[in-house]
Amino acid sequence: MPDRTPEKLNEELNTAKQVQLENVGALTRDQLTPTAAAEPQGHDVAGHDHAPAAEPSESWWRNPYAPAIASLILLLAGLALDYYDVAFFTKYVRLLWYGVAFLLVGWKVIRSAVQSIPSGNIFNEFLLMSLATLGAFAIGEYPEGVAVMLFYTVGELFQDAAVNRAKRSIRALLEIQATEVTVVRGGRSMVLDPKQVQLGDTIEVRPGEKVALDGTLTQGPASFNTAALTGESAPQTKQTGEVVLAGMVNLESLIQVAVTAGYQDTKLAKILAMVQDAVSRKAKTQLFITKFAKTYTPIVVLLATLLIVVPYFVVDDYVFRTWLYRALVFLVISCPCALVVSIPLGYFGGIGAASKAGILFKGSNFLDVLREIDTVVMDKTGTLTQGVFAVQQVVAVPGTEPAALLRLVGALETKSTHPIAKAVVQHVGAAAAGVVVDNVEEIAGHGLRGRVDGREVLAGNTKLLAKYGVSYPAEVDQVVDSIVVAAVDGRYAGYLTVADAPKADAQQTVRELRADGITKIVMLSGDKDSITQRVAKELGIDEAHGGLLPEDKARYVQQYLNDGHKLAFVGDGVNDAPVVALADVGIAMGGLGSDATIETADVVIQTDHPSKIATARRIARATHTVVWQNIWLAFGVKAVVLALGAGGLATMWEAVFADVGVALLAILNAVRIQRMDFTSKGESPRSES
């Protein structure tokens, strides 16, 4: 990552926040710089550019909806004045009235059409919208020109509104790294910027603080929350001399770490760099209308021109005004309003339906890509499992009640601050209240020893029992989960397993995805491979790999992509952010997920239910169906009316129907998505009655 001073970083962040990003998931390294941030930002699909944002001097309205609202009011008022044939509302007054209404919503589109000419991008929807609406004004159909441009603008605003809900500050991604660190030099402690720390320096990390730099633990043991790097729910205990990485959170006591890597070379810094690099490689899907306009627009303009010129040579009673009128009607009819409005609204309908289901799409193109995926790769902890460390099983020796064992162990664990001990205490609850506990000794890296209700109790790992010469069954060593082994009065008494349980809908997720046509379901996890394989088998997942670092996950995903799979990755931790960015569609768990992953993702499941992935697929398919219904409706009607217009058989009334009428029908069809029921499992969505 580039070396930035705090002042430089703040400058870049403030500049980046001003970028009007349509695709929040498509942040590139260049977009973090003032130069790139200052450039006009395009639509979430390559080739489909919005009109450039207004300069500060032009933004006399702060609300983006204000121009459209003002235009609508003027249009409705003008129609009323026309209807009642008000005396003053004629000629120049009428033209000025509708002209103002038109410019409120149309001047950016016209400006964009003009500005695109020098770059060679002449034939786009901006040009066709400009020609069609100005053509309507040329033949005196002012309300038509205003309405067409207003509908187009409203459609763009609707889509922008959906995307804007997904915008989050990029600051969360960059502030994951610690901004200051306590360094011990010459017996003195000083607080420095992590960039100023030298290799070999010793840093201090207090309980609850993030480790700022990679290094080795010089004063152990210590317990760390490693979720930022591995996604593993269970805390890790490190002994003196073991590696500690930046991004880990110290959970217990003051520790010291000998620095072995500079600020820019830490594992966490590499994760953040991977996020930016992977995002820059994300493929974009062009909307159909953009591709089509490149061919459709020049053809329409050429035909309109020929409609004026050719009759001069073949018609005896040629009248220029007559054929000019027909050409302008032809242009109005050919205006792709039903497409440029209903297609974004169709996608907006899908985005809205998804939002109601607790699913947030950051761009319409991700609806298309999600429908096409054949592979789903998921993280384990926090995605398919609850991400909460809890007691899963209590196994007591014959003759001992599990409740009695829990009571003794739980009471002893109240004297420890270790996360596993806290999970046991939380599970035992009030059952341990009032129990007398004394003579407690904490053996580092082993567990606890003490007297509970007058009985000597050991609670910890198997090394603790071995230390005190307590034998235990060999099968205890085969337990996959984290384990608390107990002995009472020098005899083995049983054990507790502490693990992360699958979410209630995890199996349903796998079942629905497979029924929905997903051919490959994979789980990648930073947790122990034995635990990962057990969870995968329990949920019926095809392939699973555990013990992975972020770069390992990225390597697997890249291999699947190289093999031709269309892939979605689902994750929640900071460690998942690079892979979320690398996938064709990145999906984040938004309830408990990290800000970095949510920021990077293309789709956010706000309820943290993995079964929503299948729901999102059903919504994507329904949206695709409705959008293509609108496309064929628009093409069919316009083809007929275009032929009639060229022959002089269609007037502006038919043009209005072919343009505004079809657009209205298409919009109503698009809105229908909002009323569909997507809760049916394994079935196609059906309309609500």
Side-chain angles (χ1 to χ4, degrees):
M1 294 181 63
D3 188 14
R4 300 180 176 91
T5 64
E7 294 76 18
K8 182 67 173 176
L9 178 59
N10 286 332
E11 176 189 349
E12 294 180 3
L13 285 169
N14 292 331
T15 307
K17 288 180 180 179
Q18 298 169 8
V19 178
Q20 300 301 311
L21 292 171
E22 277 298 313
N23 179 1
V24 181
L27 298 174
T28 66
R29 186 190 303 274
D30 291 340
Q31 284 172 318
L32 300 181
T33 66
T35 302
E39 295 176 354
Q41 300 299 315
H43 196 277
D44 56 354
V45 178
H48 182 97
D49 299 322
H50 280 301
E55 288 80 5
S57 60
E58 298 170 332
S59 57
W60 56 271
W61 52 73
R62 290 184 179 274
N63 189 331
Y65 297 93
I69 294 173
S71 178
L72 176 61
I73 293 173
L74 288 175
L75 174 61
L76 294 177
L79 290 173
L81 293 171
D82 279 336
Y83 180 80
Y84 290 106
D85 198 18
V86 177
F88 78 87
F89 197 65
T90 58
K91 295 184 179 180
Y92 297 111
V93 174
R94 187 169 181 267
L95 174 60
L96 179 62
W97 185 282
Y98 284 117
V100 172
F102 175 79
L103 290 175
L104 283 171
V105 291
W107 73 274
K108 287 185 181 179
V109 175
I110 296 174
R111 185 183 67 174
S112 296
V114 173
Q115 290 180 339
S116 66
I117 294 175
S119 65
N121 182 25
I122 301 174
F123 295 106
N124 50 44
E125 61 267 38
F126 298 135
L127 175 65
L128 196 53
M129 287 297 301
S130 300
L131 289 177
T133 51
L134 292 175
F137 266 74
I139 59 177
E141 291 294 335
Y142 309 144
E144 164 69 8
V146 175
V148 167
M149 191 62 77
L150 178 60
F151 285 165
Y152 173 79
T153 302
V154 169
E156 291 291 290
L157 287 172
F158 280 172
Q159 182 163 272
D160 289 348
V163 177
N164 285 338
R165 292 182 57 195
K167 287 183 178 179
R168 294 176 181 268
S169 172
I170 195 173
R171 184 183 296 274
L173 181 61
L174 298 180
E175 286 188 346
I176 296 170
Q177 293 173 298
T179 57
E180 59 182 31
V181 60
T182 302
V183 182
V184 180
R185 289 178 181 170
R188 295 175 52 248
S189 296
M190 61 188 73
V191 177
L192 299 176
D193 188 303
K195 299 184 184 69
Q196 299 174 325
V197 179
Q198 301 173 4
L199 297 183
D201 275 346
T202 297
I203 62 174
E204 287 185 342
V205 186
R206 297 179 178 84
E209 287 185 345
K210 288 180 289 189
V211 178
L213 299 160
D214 294 353
T216 56
L217 187 64
T218 60
Q219 181 181 324
S223 182
F224 297 90
N225 180 338
T226 64
L229 292 171
T230 67
E232 186 176 353
S233 58
Q236 288 189 10
T237 299
K238 299 288 186 179
Q239 303 297 328
T240 301
E242 290 191 308
V243 174
V244 176
L245 300 177
M248 291 181 174
V249 178
N250 180 25
L251 296 177
E252 295 178 349
S253 56
L254 178 70
I255 63 171
Q256 292 189 343
V257 176
V259 176
T260 59
Y263 182 75
Q264 298 179 30
D265 298 322
T266 64
K267 187 72 66 175
L268 183 57
K270 292 176 181 178
I271 289 178
L272 299 182
M274 286 172 63
V275 170
Q276 298 180 54
D277 292 339
V279 164
S280 67
R281 296 194 299 270
K282 181 177 291 295
K284 298 181 179 179
T285 305
Q286 284 191 313
L287 292 179
F288 171 81
I289 186 58
T290 303
K291 295 180 179 179
F292 176 73
K294 292 180 180 179
T295 303
Y296 177 80
T297 306
I299 290 176
V300 165
V301 173
L302 176 61
L303 290 176
T305 303
L306 292 176
L307 195 57
I308 299 173
V309 176
V310 172
Y312 175 80
F313 299 99
V314 298
V315 177
D316 294 333
D317 55 345
Y318 176 82
V319 178
F320 175 76
R321 291 177 61 87
T322 300
W323 290 99
L324 174 62
Y325 175 83
R326 291 185 182 184
L328 293 176
V329 170
F330 183 87
L331 276 179
V332 173
I333 297 171
S334 65
C335 177
C337 258
L339 298 176
V340 298
V341 175
S342 68
I343 289 179
L345 281 181
Y347 285 108
F348 178 75
I351 291 172
S355 180
K356 288 182 180 179
I359 305 164
L360 180 61
F361 281 87
K362 293 186 177 179
S364 58
N365 57 325
F366 300 121
L367 282 160
D368 285 335
V369 181
L370 185 62
R371 182 185 60 85
E372 300 169 353
I373 64 171
D374 56 44
T375 300
V376 174
V377 181
M378 292 179 277
D379 175 49
K380 179 182 73 68
T381 306
T383 300
L384 288 172
T385 62
Q386 297 173 10
V388 178
F389 215 46
V391 174
Q392 301 297 318
Q393 188 181 21
V394 180
V395 179
V397 297
T400 301
E401 289 293 328
L405 177 63
L406 268 175
R407 183 172 179 271
L408 293 173
V409 174
L412 182 60
E413 295 285 20
T414 59
K415 303 303 180 180
S416 173
T417 59
H418 193 280
I420 290 181
K422 293 178 181 178
V424 173
V425 171
Q426 183 177 8
H427 181 78
V428 174
V435 179
V436 178
V437 181
D438 53 21
N439 297 330
V440 177
E441 178 186 1
E442 183 163 3
I443 297 94
H446 292 71
L448 296 174
R449 175 177 178 267
R451 296 190 64 80
V452 182
D453 272 350
R455 308 179 70 180
E456 185 179 274
V457 178
L458 299 174
N461 53 33
T462 54
K463 292 187 294 183
L464 178 66
L465 269 62
K467 178 180 177 66
Y468 287 94
V470 178
S471 61
Y472 58 89
E475 57 264 25
V476 173
D477 289 325
Q478 306 304 316
V479 176
V480 173
D481 293 327
S482 298
I483 188 172
V484 177
V485 187
V488 179
D489 293 332
R491 292 178 178 272
Y492 169 74
Y495 65 85
L496 289 69
T497 60
V498 183
D500 188 11
K503 292 181 178 178
D505 61 340
Q507 282 187 327
Q508 172 191 333
T509 300
V510 176
R511 185 172 60 251
E512 289 191 21
L513 286 175
R514 191 166 283 118
D516 200 39
I518 300 299
T519 58
K520 190 179 186 68
I521 301 176
V522 182
M523 182 168 69
L524 303 178
S525 177
D527 212 340
K528 292 191 298 185
D529 188 62
S530 56
I531 296 177
T532 302
Q533 297 300 333
R534 188 205 66 196
V535 174
K537 183 177 180 180
E538 180 181 346
L539 300 181
I541 291 174
D542 302 324
E543 182 181 333
H545 303 278
L548 305 179
L549 289 173
E551 55 263 38
D552 300 322
K553 292 184 179 181
R555 187 178 67 253
Y556 274 108
V557 168
Q558 186 62 62
Q559 183 59 54
Y560 297 138
L561 293 172
N562 293 342
D563 291 341
H565 291 285
K566 200 77 171 179
L567 182 146
F569 182 88
V570 191
D572 70 309
V574 175
N575 61 298
D576 295 323
V579 200
V580 165
L582 184 61
D584 292 303
V585 179
I587 303 175
M589 294 293 168
L592 297 175
S594 73
D595 290 342
T597 303
I598 293 172
E599 175 71 23
T600 307
D602 309 311
V603 182
V604 178
I605 297 177
Q606 296 167 300
T607 61
D608 274 350
H609 294 150
S611 58
K612 296 292 186 181
I613 304 168
T615 302
R617 285 258 297 172
R618 290 193 288 270
I619 293 172
R621 286 202 311 273
T623 303
H624 178 265
T625 299
V626 168
V627 165
W628 276 94
Q629 286 173 349
N630 286 344
I631 289 173
W632 289 117
L633 171 67
F635 282 165
V637 173
K638 284 183 179 292
V640 172
V641 183
L642 278 172
L644 295 175
L649 301 177
T651 65
M652 280 302 300
W653 291 108
E654 285 78 11
V656 169
F657 172 75
D659 181 22
V660 181
V662 173
L664 180 59
L665 292 176
I667 289 171
L668 292 175
N669 189 41
V671 171
R672 187 169 60 90
I673 301 175
Q674 298 272 6
R675 302 190 64 232
M676 291 182 177
D677 176 20
F678 298 100
T679 60
S680 301
K681 299 176 179 59
E683 300 176 2
S684 298
R686 60 183 184 274
S687 296
E688 294 178 348
S689 57

